[in-house]
Amino acid sequence: MAAPPEKTLKNLSGKWVMNKTLSDDTDRILEMQGVGWFMRRLIALATVTLTVSEYEKDGYTHIDIEQVASPGGIRSTENRTLDWEYREHTDKVFGAVKGKSRWVKLSDVDDDDFLKKGYDDMEGEHVQSYVESMGGGWTADQVWGFEILQGERYYVRHVVVRKGDDWKLARLVYDYQS
């Protein structure tokens, strides 16, 4: 289901399910991030659900996400504080990483134009999340927003993953569930 109008980046709380028809294939990105063949197959076949809790605390926006791929029960947690400070985290799929997140205007994103285009709101603030692997040699830069696709509004993440001189792009699209 498309995102209802009351869902914005300032109000992401709820359940979101990856729309695999509208999303780009993630296999090459996951391979670059060191995810093994079997785990990539599980993820490719699974329904990926994000349970998002967004709130304000100590002057910063916090976005806590429990991600579940089922069947398989692969769970990971993403707790983001939008203050652009690095935090270390051990992820079940990606291993040891450090990441930072912030509110950002698209004009202030220093990366590939892919991260900056296609959103329904090109002037407002978006969420940027940057992650570095602490042993795998890759980085992942994401910008979140909403896009109009096939006449409907969807929550999306534009992702650029780099490892050495190689890089991969993907747009992840999510249906609002509840």
Side-chain angles (χ1 to χ4, degrees):
M1 177 170 103
E6 65 271 12
K7 287 299 169 186
T8 67
L9 291 174
K10 302 273 185 182
N11 178 23
L12 274 178
S13 292
K15 287 191 187 248
W16 301 86
V17 177
M18 183 183 286
N19 182 318
K20 296 212 177 171
T21 301
L22 296 176
S23 293
D24 295 332
D25 182 39
T26 60
D27 189 70
R28 294 176 58 215
I29 284 180
L30 293 169
E31 182 179 23
M32 181 183 284
Q33 292 174 304
V35 178
W37 180 86
F38 184 73
M39 180 66 76
R40 293 196 321 269
R41 293 289 63 78
L42 283 175
I43 292 169
L45 296 172
T47 298
V48 178
T49 303
L50 309 179
T51 301
V52 179
S53 175
E54 183 171 357
Y55 56 95
E56 297 291 323
K57 182 179 175 185
D58 300 326
Y60 293 102
T61 301
H62 294 255
I63 303 176
D64 298 343
I65 302 172
E66 181 183 14
Q67 182 171 275
V68 178
S70 55
I74 304 164
R75 294 180 177 272
S76 65
T77 302
E78 306 170 11
N79 293 328
R80 292 185 168 87
T81 303
L82 278 60
D83 62 0
W84 209 234
E85 296 290 327
Y86 276 110
R87 288 176 178 76
E88 294 183 5
H89 169 72
T90 300
D91 186 275
K92 292 178 182 175
V93 175
F94 302 111
V97 297
K98 66 178 183 177
K100 58 185 179 177
S101 300
R102 66 178 174 171
W103 289 110
V104 66
K105 296 260 188 203
L106 295 174
S107 59
D108 294 330
V109 175
D110 295 331
D111 211 333
D112 188 283
D113 282 345
F114 175 75
L115 293 175
K116 303 182 207 184
K117 66 181 182 178
Y119 303 101
D120 68 343
D121 175 8
M122 297 298 290
E123 302 301 320
E125 288 189 310
H126 291 72
V127 173
Q128 182 179 19
S129 175
Y130 179 80
V131 176
E132 295 178 16
S133 171
M134 296 171 62
W138 56 265
T139 63
D141 204 353
Q142 299 183 21
V143 173
W144 305 356
F146 288 85
E147 284 187 37
I148 305 298
L149 302 168
Q150 300 178 347
E152 306 250 36
R153 183 173 168 270
Y154 291 92
Y155 167 49
V156 297
R157 294 180 179 187
H158 289 206
V159 183
V160 177
V161 176
R162 289 188 171 78
K163 185 172 184 177
D165 292 334
D166 197 7
W167 51 272
K168 304 285 184 259
L169 309 173
R171 178 179 63 191
L172 307 179
V173 181
Y174 296 88
D175 291 315
Y176 182 70
Q177 190 175 53
S178 64

